[in-house]
Amino acid sequence: MTDAPQVSLISVPGQQPADGHVFPLVLACEPGSATLDATCTWLASRAADLCQQASAHGAILFRGFPVAIPEDLDRFIAAFGLKNFPYEQSLSNAVRVVKTPRVFTANEAPPNVTIFLHHEMAQTPIYPSRLFFFCEQPAETGGATPICRSDILYAKLKAECPQFAADCESRGLRYTNVMPAANDAASGMGRSWQSTFQAETREAAEARLKSLGYSWEWLPDGCLRATTPVLPAVRQLLDGRQVFFNQLIAAFQGWKDDRNDPSKSITFGDGTTLDRDAVNVASRLGEELSFNIPWQKGDVALVDNYVAMHGRRTFTGTRKVLASLIAVDE
Ligand code: FE2
């Protein structure tokens, strides 16, 4: 078993035609055709091409490759030769458990919590260029990862709500969230301020907040309310595509827990409120355009974070989906 993996393009139900590129691209490996070593060699020799395809298509689903445990996944991802983006350094508000230097649990939020569509960490000034997801164990029911082409969503949003789209482009967005003084795994956004800002004291947290351009307020219960600087709502990619690169849908629908009220989570950059009807159009388009990754054990997905949004459906049973982030290309 030193041969290269036998890989073919396959179709899966629900795959979408999207601008001449099927979404997502699905590559299947003939089971038993290659070792992990041979797979890594194969990946390394095609890394640039695969990243290019992930950008064109939005995402690639790898099925049947010899990846079973977090350590295998770490090697699979390392083979791409891309720069790791460690969870500890991120400003993500999700609670996660680190498994290997590259791999951590996708989100520790309970099964009944929906995670709405978003670009990873687009609500912070520091975000990854790409994400890998890996299914170690599919849920009993539900638990798909919806993914959505952001360029297509934005083109449709622009057609339906031109004024809102223009406002998004010209004003940008600011996000506010309240971080607890200790990790709260019951929330999809329960990461403590200490963990988020890698700070043990308020002074250290404030120094980090200041350097990132945030404004903030300490609450009587020890929580931190932090507001980002103005961040873009729409980005133009190098190839000219415009993408709805933000967390508007997720913040408006889903940033809800004991500390957070979604209606206060997001405003335009000038502090004005978002048009609720237009936000609802964006959410509806996201739902209509989503492909639900039908997780099978061993599946790996590479998602281009600039091109595709992702979320998480509710589920029952035990679901083990791991994630890994790639830093922005230098
Ligand atoms: Fe995410």
Side-chain angles (χ1 to χ4, degrees), residues 97-133:
V97 178
V98 175
K99 297 279 187 181
T100 78
R102 284 183 176 268
V103 175
F104 44 80
T105 56
N107 191 319
E108 293 288 297
N112 61 345
V113 173
T114 297
I115 298 176
F116 293 95
L117 289 172
H118 58 280
H119 286 280
E120 191 65 19
M121 297 176 204
Q123 83 287 21
T124 82
I126 309 169
Y127 42 79
S129 60
R130 304 172 186 87
L131 304 90
F132 285 90
F133 290 112

PDB file of all heavy atoms in Angstrom, residues 97-133:
ATOM      1  N   VAL A  97     -12.261  22.638  22.432  1.00  0.00           N
ATOM      2  CA  VAL A  97     -11.273  21.840  23.148  1.00  0.00           C
ATOM      3  C   VAL A  97     -10.164  21.490  22.167  1.00  0.00           C
ATOM      4  O   VAL A  97     -10.423  20.947  21.090  1.00  0.00           O
ATOM      5  CB  VAL A  97     -11.917  20.558  23.712  1.00  0.00           C
ATOM      6  CG1 VAL A  97     -10.870  19.702  24.407  1.00  0.00           C
ATOM      7  CG2 VAL A  97     -13.053  20.910  24.668  1.00  0.00           C
ATOM      8  N   VAL A  98      -8.932  21.831  22.523  1.00  0.00           N
ATOM      9  CA  VAL A  98      -7.802  21.594  21.637  1.00  0.00           C
ATOM     10  C   VAL A  98      -7.411  20.117  21.684  1.00  0.00           C
ATOM     11  O   VAL A  98      -7.265  19.533  22.756  1.00  0.00           O
ATOM     12  CB  VAL A  98      -6.619  22.503  22.040  1.00  0.00           C
ATOM     13  CG1 VAL A  98      -5.382  22.183  21.218  1.00  0.00           C
ATOM     14  CG2 VAL A  98      -7.007  23.976  21.868  1.00  0.00           C
ATOM     15  N   LYS A  99      -7.251  19.490  20.506  1.00  0.00           N
ATOM     16  CA  LYS A  99      -6.916  18.057  20.410  1.00  0.00           C
ATOM     17  C   LYS A  99      -5.462  17.825  19.999  1.00  0.00           C
ATOM     18  O   LYS A  99      -4.813  16.913  20.481  1.00  0.00           O
ATOM     19  CB  LYS A  99      -7.820  17.370  19.376  1.00  0.00           C
ATOM     20  CG  LYS A  99      -9.290  17.380  19.731  1.00  0.00           C
ATOM     21  CD  LYS A  99      -9.601  16.273  20.713  1.00  0.00           C
ATOM     22  CE  LYS A  99     -11.100  16.173  20.943  1.00  0.00           C
ATOM     23  NZ  LYS A  99     -11.436  15.120  21.900  1.00  0.00           N
ATOM     24  N   THR A 100      -4.996  18.592  19.017  1.00  0.00           N
ATOM     25  CA  THR A 100      -3.596  18.541  18.567  1.00  0.00           C
ATOM     26  C   THR A 100      -3.235  19.983  18.241  1.00  0.00           C
ATOM     27  O   THR A 100      -4.113  20.854  18.253  1.00  0.00           O
ATOM     28  CB  THR A 100      -3.417  17.686  17.280  1.00  0.00           C
ATOM     29  OG1 THR A 100      -3.844  18.476  16.143  1.00  0.00           O
ATOM     30  CG2 THR A 100      -4.189  16.382  17.307  1.00  0.00           C
ATOM     31  N   PRO A 101      -1.959  20.268  17.874  1.00  0.00           N
ATOM     32  CA  PRO A 101      -1.622  21.667  17.567  1.00  0.00           C
ATOM     33  C   PRO A 101      -2.520  22.291  16.504  1.00  0.00           C
ATOM     34  O   PRO A 101      -2.784  23.479  16.514  1.00  0.00           O
ATOM     35  CB  PRO A 101      -0.180  21.563  17.081  1.00  0.00           C
ATOM     36  CG  PRO A 101       0.370  20.370  17.791  1.00  0.00           C
ATOM     37  CD  PRO A 101      -0.783  19.393  17.869  1.00  0.00           C
ATOM     38  N   ARG A 102      -3.028  21.480  15.580  1.00  0.00           N
ATOM     39  CA  ARG A 102      -3.861  22.025  14.506  1.00  0.00           C
ATOM     40  C   ARG A 102      -5.353  21.769  14.678  1.00  0.00           C
ATOM     41  O   ARG A 102      -6.154  22.339  13.947  1.00  0.00           O
ATOM     42  CB  ARG A 102      -3.445  21.400  13.165  1.00  0.00           C
ATOM     43  CG  ARG A 102      -2.167  21.946  12.576  1.00  0.00           C
ATOM     44  CD  ARG A 102      -1.891  21.313  11.228  1.00  0.00           C
ATOM     45  NE  ARG A 102      -0.726  21.894  10.590  1.00  0.00           N
ATOM     46  CZ  ARG A 102      -0.760  22.927   9.739  1.00  0.00           C
ATOM     47  NH1 ARG A 102      -1.906  23.474   9.422  1.00  0.00           N
ATOM     48  NH2 ARG A 102       0.352  23.400   9.218  1.00  0.00           N
ATOM     49  N   VAL A 103      -5.703  20.876  15.562  1.00  0.00           N
ATOM     50  CA  VAL A 103      -7.080  20.358  15.554  1.00  0.00           C
ATOM     51  C   VAL A 103      -7.786  20.614  16.883  1.00  0.00           C
ATOM     52  O   VAL A 103      -7.220  20.375  17.947  1.00  0.00           O
ATOM     53  CB  VAL A 103      -7.047  18.829  15.262  1.00  0.00           C
ATOM     54  CG1 VAL A 103      -8.434  18.229  15.354  1.00  0.00           C
ATOM     55  CG2 VAL A 103      -6.431  18.561  13.887  1.00  0.00           C
ATOM     56  N   PHE A 104      -9.044  21.088  16.795  1.00  0.00           N
ATOM     57  CA  PHE A 104      -9.834  21.279  18.004  1.00  0.00           C
ATOM     58  C   PHE A 104     -11.287  20.949  17.718  1.00  0.00           C
ATOM     59  O   PHE A 104     -11.670  20.774  16.560  1.00  0.00           O
ATOM     60  CB  PHE A 104      -9.690  22.703  18.540  1.00  0.00           C
ATOM     61  CG  PHE A 104      -9.759  23.761  17.480  1.00  0.00           C
ATOM     62  CD1 PHE A 104     -10.970  24.175  16.971  1.00  0.00           C
ATOM     63  CD2 PHE A 104      -8.593  24.321  16.966  1.00  0.00           C
ATOM     64  CE1 PHE A 104     -11.038  25.131  15.986  1.00  0.00           C
ATOM     65  CE2 PHE A 104      -8.652  25.283  15.960  1.00  0.00           C
ATOM     66  CZ  PHE A 104      -9.880  25.685  15.472  1.00  0.00           C
ATOM     67  N   THR A 105     -12.085  20.855  18.765  1.00  0.00           N
ATOM     68  CA  THR A 105     -13.504  20.551  18.561  1.00  0.00           C
ATOM     69  C   THR A 105     -14.158  21.768  17.893  1.00  0.00           C
ATOM     70  O   THR A 105     -13.774  22.905  18.147  1.00  0.00           O
ATOM     71  CB  THR A 105     -14.218  20.241  19.886  1.00  0.00           C
ATOM     72  OG1 THR A 105     -14.043  21.347  20.779  1.00  0.00           O
ATOM     73  CG2 THR A 105     -13.662  18.978  20.523  1.00  0.00           C
ATOM     74  N   ALA A 106     -15.149  21.508  17.035  1.00  0.00           N
ATOM     75  CA  ALA A 106     -15.707  22.578  16.205  1.00  0.00           C
ATOM     76  C   ALA A 106     -16.443  23.615  17.044  1.00  0.00           C
ATOM     77  O   ALA A 106     -16.302  24.796  16.841  1.00  0.00           O
ATOM     78  CB  ALA A 106     -16.620  22.005  15.143  1.00  0.00           C
ATOM     79  N   ASN A 107     -17.266  23.202  17.942  1.00  0.00           N
ATOM     80  CA  ASN A 107     -17.943  24.128  18.859  1.00  0.00           C
ATOM     81  C   ASN A 107     -18.581  23.254  19.920  1.00  0.00           C
ATOM     82  O   ASN A 107     -19.225  22.269  19.599  1.00  0.00           O
ATOM     83  CB  ASN A 107     -19.005  24.958  18.128  1.00  0.00           C
ATOM     84  CG  ASN A 107     -19.541  26.104  18.997  1.00  0.00           C
ATOM     85  OD1 ASN A 107     -19.773  25.947  20.187  1.00  0.00           O
ATOM     86  ND2 ASN A 107     -19.726  27.259  18.391  1.00  0.00           N
ATOM     87  N   GLU A 108     -18.406  23.640  21.167  1.00  0.00           N
ATOM     88  CA  GLU A 108     -18.909  22.813  22.265  1.00  0.00           C
ATOM     89  C   GLU A 108     -20.366  23.138  22.614  1.00  0.00           C
ATOM     90  O   GLU A 108     -20.876  22.646  23.613  1.00  0.00           O
ATOM     91  CB  GLU A 108     -18.022  23.000  23.497  1.00  0.00           C
ATOM     92  CG  GLU A 108     -16.607  22.465  23.327  1.00  0.00           C
ATOM     93  CD  GLU A 108     -16.571  20.930  23.327  1.00  0.00           C
ATOM     94  OE1 GLU A 108     -16.934  20.327  24.344  1.00  0.00           O
ATOM     95  OE2 GLU A 108     -16.186  20.363  22.304  1.00  0.00           O
ATOM     96  N   ALA A 109     -21.013  23.968  21.820  1.00  0.00           N
ATOM     97  CA  ALA A 109     -22.402  24.327  22.137  1.00  0.00           C
ATOM     98  C   ALA A 109     -23.300  23.095  22.118  1.00  0.00           C
ATOM     99  O   ALA A 109     -23.083  22.171  21.333  1.00  0.00           O
ATOM    100  CB  ALA A 109     -22.907  25.356  21.139  1.00  0.00           C
ATOM    101  N   PRO A 110     -24.330  23.055  22.988  1.00  0.00           N
ATOM    102  CA  PRO A 110     -25.198  21.876  23.096  1.00  0.00           C
ATOM    103  C   PRO A 110     -25.912  21.550  21.781  1.00  0.00           C
ATOM    104  O   PRO A 110     -26.083  22.426  20.931  1.00  0.00           O
ATOM    105  CB  PRO A 110     -26.214  22.278  24.167  1.00  0.00           C
ATOM    106  CG  PRO A 110     -25.633  23.449  24.867  1.00  0.00           C
ATOM    107  CD  PRO A 110     -24.696  24.120  23.921  1.00  0.00           C
ATOM    108  N   PRO A 111     -26.372  20.286  21.636  1.00  0.00           N
ATOM    109  CA  PRO A 111     -26.969  19.814  20.378  1.00  0.00           C
ATOM    110  C   PRO A 111     -28.187  20.604  19.919  1.00  0.00           C
ATOM    111  O   PRO A 111     -28.456  20.673  18.721  1.00  0.00           O
ATOM    112  CB  PRO A 111     -27.396  18.372  20.694  1.00  0.00           C
ATOM    113  CG  PRO A 111     -26.647  17.978  21.910  1.00  0.00           C
ATOM    114  CD  PRO A 111     -26.261  19.228  22.645  1.00  0.00           C
ATOM    115  N   ASN A 112     -28.928  21.195  20.860  1.00  0.00           N
ATOM    116  CA  ASN A 112     -30.158  21.902  20.456  1.00  0.00           C
ATOM    117  C   ASN A 112     -29.889  23.340  20.021  1.00  0.00           C
ATOM    118  O   ASN A 112     -30.812  24.076  19.708  1.00  0.00           O
ATOM    119  CB  ASN A 112     -31.181  21.875  21.596  1.00  0.00           C
ATOM    120  CG  ASN A 112     -30.665  22.559  22.852  1.00  0.00           C
ATOM    121  OD1 ASN A 112     -29.464  22.805  22.980  1.00  0.00           O
ATOM    122  ND2 ASN A 112     -31.553  22.890  23.762  1.00  0.00           N
ATOM    123  N   VAL A 113     -28.639  23.750  20.006  1.00  0.00           N
ATOM    124  CA  VAL A 113     -28.286  25.105  19.588  1.00  0.00           C
ATOM    125  C   VAL A 113     -27.943  25.100  18.097  1.00  0.00           C
ATOM    126  O   VAL A 113     -27.075  24.350  17.663  1.00  0.00           O
ATOM    127  CB  VAL A 113     -27.082  25.637  20.403  1.00  0.00           C
ATOM    128  CG1 VAL A 113     -26.600  26.982  19.856  1.00  0.00           C
ATOM    129  CG2 VAL A 113     -27.445  25.758  21.876  1.00  0.00           C
ATOM    130  N   THR A 114     -28.658  25.923  17.328  1.00  0.00           N
ATOM    131  CA  THR A 114     -28.326  26.101  15.910  1.00  0.00           C
ATOM    132  C   THR A 114     -27.218  27.135  15.803  1.00  0.00           C
ATOM    133  O   THR A 114     -27.288  28.183  16.440  1.00  0.00           O
ATOM    134  CB  THR A 114     -29.552  26.629  15.132  1.00  0.00           C
ATOM    135  OG1 THR A 114     -30.578  25.643  15.197  1.00  0.00           O
ATOM    136  CG2 THR A 114     -29.220  26.918  13.674  1.00  0.00           C
ATOM    137  N   ILE A 115     -26.209  26.832  15.006  1.00  0.00           N
ATOM    138  CA  ILE A 115     -25.206  27.858  14.719  1.00  0.00           C
ATOM    139  C   ILE A 115     -25.498  28.349  13.306  1.00  0.00           C
ATOM    140  O   ILE A 115     -25.453  27.574  12.344  1.00  0.00           O
ATOM    141  CB  ILE A 115     -23.781  27.299  14.874  1.00  0.00           C
ATOM    142  CG1 ILE A 115     -23.597  26.864  16.334  1.00  0.00           C
ATOM    143  CG2 ILE A 115     -22.739  28.356  14.481  1.00  0.00           C
ATOM    144  CD1 ILE A 115     -22.285  26.210  16.643  1.00  0.00           C
ATOM    145  N   PHE A 116     -25.878  29.615  13.188  1.00  0.00           N
ATOM    146  CA  PHE A 116     -26.308  30.168  11.917  1.00  0.00           C
ATOM    147  C   PHE A 116     -25.112  30.469  11.023  1.00  0.00           C
ATOM    148  O   PHE A 116     -23.970  30.522  11.488  1.00  0.00           O
ATOM    149  CB  PHE A 116     -27.161  31.423  12.160  1.00  0.00           C
ATOM    150  CG  PHE A 116     -28.477  31.102  12.823  1.00  0.00           C
ATOM    151  CD1 PHE A 116     -28.623  31.178  14.206  1.00  0.00           C
ATOM    152  CD2 PHE A 116     -29.553  30.665  12.065  1.00  0.00           C
ATOM    153  CE1 PHE A 116     -29.827  30.855  14.810  1.00  0.00           C
ATOM    154  CE2 PHE A 116     -30.762  30.336  12.670  1.00  0.00           C
ATOM    155  CZ  PHE A 116     -30.894  30.428  14.044  1.00  0.00           C
ATOM    156  N   LEU A 117     -25.409  30.655   9.735  1.00  0.00           N
ATOM    157  CA  LEU A 117     -24.352  30.846   8.736  1.00  0.00           C
ATOM    158  C   LEU A 117     -23.450  32.033   9.064  1.00  0.00           C
ATOM    159  O   LEU A 117     -23.929  33.101   9.444  1.00  0.00           O
ATOM    160  CB  LEU A 117     -24.972  31.063   7.361  1.00  0.00           C
ATOM    161  CG  LEU A 117     -25.636  29.854   6.713  1.00  0.00           C
ATOM    162  CD1 LEU A 117     -26.364  30.300   5.437  1.00  0.00           C
ATOM    163  CD2 LEU A 117     -24.624  28.752   6.405  1.00  0.00           C
ATOM    164  N   HIS A 118     -22.182  31.835   8.878  1.00  0.00           N
ATOM    165  CA  HIS A 118     -21.211  32.917   9.105  1.00  0.00           C
ATOM    166  C   HIS A 118     -19.905  32.600   8.388  1.00  0.00           C
ATOM    167  O   HIS A 118     -19.630  31.447   8.066  1.00  0.00           O
ATOM    168  CB  HIS A 118     -20.930  33.078  10.601  1.00  0.00           C
ATOM    169  CG  HIS A 118     -20.395  31.827  11.251  1.00  0.00           C
ATOM    170  ND1 HIS A 118     -21.212  30.790  11.627  1.00  0.00           N
ATOM    171  CD2 HIS A 118     -19.129  31.430  11.546  1.00  0.00           C
ATOM    172  CE1 HIS A 118     -20.476  29.820  12.156  1.00  0.00           C
ATOM    173  NE2 HIS A 118     -19.201  30.172  12.111  1.00  0.00           N
ATOM    174  N   HIS A 119     -19.111  33.616   8.164  1.00  0.00           N
ATOM    175  CA  HIS A 119     -17.718  33.416   7.776  1.00  0.00           C
ATOM    176  C   HIS A 119     -16.930  33.370   9.074  1.00  0.00           C
ATOM    177  O   HIS A 119     -17.128  34.224   9.961  1.00  0.00           O
ATOM    178  CB  HIS A 119     -17.219  34.572   6.905  1.00  0.00           C
ATOM    179  CG  HIS A 119     -17.748  34.546   5.504  1.00  0.00           C
ATOM    180  ND1 HIS A 119     -17.208  33.737   4.531  1.00  0.00           N
ATOM    181  CD2 HIS A 119     -18.768  35.203   4.918  1.00  0.00           C
ATOM    182  CE1 HIS A 119     -17.866  33.913   3.397  1.00  0.00           C
ATOM    183  NE2 HIS A 119     -18.828  34.789   3.609  1.00  0.00           N
ATOM    184  N   GLU A 120     -16.046  32.404   9.189  1.00  0.00           N
ATOM    185  CA  GLU A 120     -15.348  32.202  10.454  1.00  0.00           C
ATOM    186  C   GLU A 120     -14.612  33.475  10.894  1.00  0.00           C
ATOM    187  O   GLU A 120     -13.783  34.010  10.164  1.00  0.00           O
ATOM    188  CB  GLU A 120     -14.354  31.030  10.328  1.00  0.00           C
ATOM    189  CG  GLU A 120     -13.770  30.573  11.648  1.00  0.00           C
ATOM    190  CD  GLU A 120     -14.835  29.980  12.576  1.00  0.00           C
ATOM    191  OE1 GLU A 120     -15.912  29.600  12.075  1.00  0.00           O
ATOM    192  OE2 GLU A 120     -14.596  29.912  13.782  1.00  0.00           O
ATOM    193  N   MET A 121     -14.959  33.931  12.065  1.00  0.00           N
ATOM    194  CA  MET A 121     -14.291  35.062  12.724  1.00  0.00           C
ATOM    195  C   MET A 121     -14.342  36.370  11.938  1.00  0.00           C
ATOM    196  O   MET A 121     -13.550  37.277  12.174  1.00  0.00           O
ATOM    197  CB  MET A 121     -12.844  34.710  13.079  1.00  0.00           C
ATOM    198  CG  MET A 121     -12.801  33.563  14.071  1.00  0.00           C
ATOM    199  SD  MET A 121     -11.152  33.031  14.434  1.00  0.00           S
ATOM    200  CE  MET A 121     -11.493  31.348  14.950  1.00  0.00           C
ATOM    201  N   ALA A 122     -15.329  36.484  11.031  1.00  0.00           N
ATOM    202  CA  ALA A 122     -15.480  37.738  10.278  1.00  0.00           C
ATOM    203  C   ALA A 122     -15.980  38.855  11.182  1.00  0.00           C
ATOM    204  O   ALA A 122     -16.049  40.008  10.759  1.00  0.00           O
ATOM    205  CB  ALA A 122     -16.432  37.538   9.106  1.00  0.00           C
ATOM    206  N   GLN A 123     -16.338  38.517  12.435  1.00  0.00           N
ATOM    207  CA  GLN A 123     -16.758  39.554  13.391  1.00  0.00           C
ATOM    208  C   GLN A 123     -15.563  40.039  14.200  1.00  0.00           C
ATOM    209  O   GLN A 123     -15.725  40.754  15.182  1.00  0.00           O
ATOM    210  CB  GLN A 123     -17.859  39.014  14.320  1.00  0.00           C
ATOM    211  CG  GLN A 123     -17.403  38.211  15.523  1.00  0.00           C
ATOM    212  CD  GLN A 123     -16.897  36.807  15.194  1.00  0.00           C
ATOM    213  OE1 GLN A 123     -16.521  36.511  14.068  1.00  0.00           O
ATOM    214  NE2 GLN A 123     -16.867  35.945  16.185  1.00  0.00           N
ATOM    215  N   THR A 124     -14.354  39.664  13.788  1.00  0.00           N
ATOM    216  CA  THR A 124     -13.145  40.120  14.470  1.00  0.00           C
ATOM    217  C   THR A 124     -12.135  40.555  13.397  1.00  0.00           C
ATOM    218  O   THR A 124     -12.271  40.179  12.235  1.00  0.00           O
ATOM    219  CB  THR A 124     -12.485  39.013  15.343  1.00  0.00           C
ATOM    220  OG1 THR A 124     -11.674  38.174  14.509  1.00  0.00           O
ATOM    221  CG2 THR A 124     -13.524  38.163  16.070  1.00  0.00           C
ATOM    222  N   PRO A 125     -11.135  41.346  13.796  1.00  0.00           N
ATOM    223  CA  PRO A 125     -10.155  41.786  12.785  1.00  0.00           C
ATOM    224  C   PRO A 125      -9.191  40.675  12.359  1.00  0.00           C
ATOM    225  O   PRO A 125      -8.413  40.865  11.437  1.00  0.00           O
ATOM    226  CB  PRO A 125      -9.381  42.897  13.513  1.00  0.00           C
ATOM    227  CG  PRO A 125     -10.113  43.164  14.791  1.00  0.00           C
ATOM    228  CD  PRO A 125     -10.914  41.958  15.105  1.00  0.00           C
ATOM    229  N   ILE A 126      -9.232  39.515  13.042  1.00  0.00           N
ATOM    230  CA  ILE A 126      -8.276  38.435  12.747  1.00  0.00           C
ATOM    231  C   ILE A 126      -9.068  37.178  12.399  1.00  0.00           C
ATOM    232  O   ILE A 126      -9.766  36.639  13.253  1.00  0.00           O
ATOM    233  CB  ILE A 126      -7.379  38.150  13.973  1.00  0.00           C
ATOM    234  CG1 ILE A 126      -6.757  39.440  14.505  1.00  0.00           C
ATOM    235  CG2 ILE A 126      -6.289  37.144  13.620  1.00  0.00           C
ATOM    236  CD1 ILE A 126      -6.078  39.267  15.859  1.00  0.00           C
ATOM    237  N   TYR A 127      -8.984  36.747  11.148  1.00  0.00           N
ATOM    238  CA  TYR A 127      -9.813  35.620  10.712  1.00  0.00           C
ATOM    239  C   TYR A 127      -8.967  34.664   9.876  1.00  0.00           C
ATOM    240  O   TYR A 127      -7.931  35.047   9.329  1.00  0.00           O
ATOM    241  CB  TYR A 127     -11.006  36.141   9.895  1.00  0.00           C
ATOM    242  CG  TYR A 127     -10.610  37.235   8.955  1.00  0.00           C
ATOM    243  CD1 TYR A 127      -9.978  36.936   7.758  1.00  0.00           C
ATOM    244  CD2 TYR A 127     -10.776  38.569   9.303  1.00  0.00           C
ATOM    245  CE1 TYR A 127      -9.544  37.945   6.917  1.00  0.00           C
ATOM    246  CE2 TYR A 127     -10.347  39.588   8.462  1.00  0.00           C
ATOM    247  CZ  TYR A 127      -9.729  39.255   7.268  1.00  0.00           C
ATOM    248  OH  TYR A 127      -9.282  40.258   6.457  1.00  0.00           O
ATOM    249  N   PRO A 128      -9.401  33.419   9.762  1.00  0.00           N
ATOM    250  CA  PRO A 128      -8.655  32.448   8.952  1.00  0.00           C
ATOM    251  C   PRO A 128      -9.034  32.548   7.465  1.00  0.00           C
ATOM    252  O   PRO A 128     -10.121  33.023   7.125  1.00  0.00           O
ATOM    253  CB  PRO A 128      -9.109  31.108   9.525  1.00  0.00           C
ATOM    254  CG  PRO A 128     -10.479  31.369  10.045  1.00  0.00           C
ATOM    255  CD  PRO A 128     -10.525  32.807  10.484  1.00  0.00           C
ATOM    256  N   SER A 129      -8.143  32.080   6.609  1.00  0.00           N
ATOM    257  CA  SER A 129      -8.415  32.067   5.165  1.00  0.00           C
ATOM    258  C   SER A 129      -9.217  30.825   4.776  1.00  0.00           C
ATOM    259  O   SER A 129      -9.979  30.854   3.820  1.00  0.00           O
ATOM    260  CB  SER A 129      -7.106  32.089   4.385  1.00  0.00           C
ATOM    261  OG  SER A 129      -6.321  30.948   4.700  1.00  0.00           O
ATOM    262  N   ARG A 130      -8.977  29.747   5.492  1.00  0.00           N
ATOM    263  CA  ARG A 130      -9.632  28.479   5.167  1.00  0.00           C
ATOM    264  C   ARG A 130      -9.904  27.711   6.457  1.00  0.00           C
ATOM    265  O   ARG A 130      -9.245  27.951   7.474  1.00  0.00           O
ATOM    266  CB  ARG A 130      -8.740  27.607   4.275  1.00  0.00           C
ATOM    267  CG  ARG A 130      -8.296  28.283   3.004  1.00  0.00           C
ATOM    268  CD  ARG A 130      -7.270  27.459   2.259  1.00  0.00           C
ATOM    269  NE  ARG A 130      -6.741  28.201   1.110  1.00  0.00           N
ATOM    270  CZ  ARG A 130      -5.705  29.047   1.171  1.00  0.00           C
ATOM    271  NH1 ARG A 130      -5.048  29.246   2.312  1.00  0.00           N
ATOM    272  NH2 ARG A 130      -5.313  29.683   0.099  1.00  0.00           N
ATOM    273  N   LEU A 131     -10.850  26.773   6.370  1.00  0.00           N
ATOM    274  CA  LEU A 131     -11.129  25.890   7.508  1.00  0.00           C
ATOM    275  C   LEU A 131     -11.170  24.462   7.011  1.00  0.00           C
ATOM    276  O   LEU A 131     -11.615  24.208   5.891  1.00  0.00           O
ATOM    277  CB  LEU A 131     -12.517  26.114   8.080  1.00  0.00           C
ATOM    278  CG  LEU A 131     -13.012  27.428   8.569  1.00  0.00           C
ATOM    279  CD1 LEU A 131     -13.659  28.191   7.448  1.00  0.00           C
ATOM    280  CD2 LEU A 131     -14.005  27.170   9.664  1.00  0.00           C
ATOM    281  N   PHE A 132     -10.759  23.572   7.871  1.00  0.00           N
ATOM    282  CA  PHE A 132     -10.999  22.149   7.645  1.00  0.00           C
ATOM    283  C   PHE A 132     -11.976  21.669   8.710  1.00  0.00           C
ATOM    284  O   PHE A 132     -11.853  22.046   9.882  1.00  0.00           O
ATOM    285  CB  PHE A 132      -9.710  21.335   7.790  1.00  0.00           C
ATOM    286  CG  PHE A 132      -8.767  21.460   6.630  1.00  0.00           C
ATOM    287  CD1 PHE A 132      -7.799  22.448   6.608  1.00  0.00           C
ATOM    288  CD2 PHE A 132      -8.834  20.574   5.564  1.00  0.00           C
ATOM    289  CE1 PHE A 132      -6.907  22.555   5.547  1.00  0.00           C
ATOM    290  CE2 PHE A 132      -7.959  20.676   4.494  1.00  0.00           C
ATOM    291  CZ  PHE A 132      -6.988  21.665   4.491  1.00  0.00           C
ATOM    292  N   PHE A 133     -12.929  20.837   8.286  1.00  0.00           N
ATOM    293  CA  PHE A 133     -13.786  20.124   9.231  1.00  0.00           C
ATOM    294  C   PHE A 133     -13.555  18.637   9.021  1.00  0.00           C
ATOM    295  O   PHE A 133     -13.266  18.199   7.906  1.00  0.00           O
ATOM    296  CB  PHE A 133     -15.269  20.423   8.977  1.00  0.00           C
ATOM    297  CG  PHE A 133     -15.690  21.816   9.320  1.00  0.00           C
ATOM    298  CD1 PHE A 133     -16.071  22.703   8.318  1.00  0.00           C
ATOM    299  CD2 PHE A 133     -15.732  22.254  10.634  1.00  0.00           C
ATOM    300  CE1 PHE A 133     -16.476  24.002   8.624  1.00  0.00           C
ATOM    301  CE2 PHE A 133     -16.140  23.546  10.948  1.00  0.00           C
ATOM    302  CZ  PHE A 133     -16.507  24.407   9.934  1.00  0.00           C
TER     303      PHE A 133
END
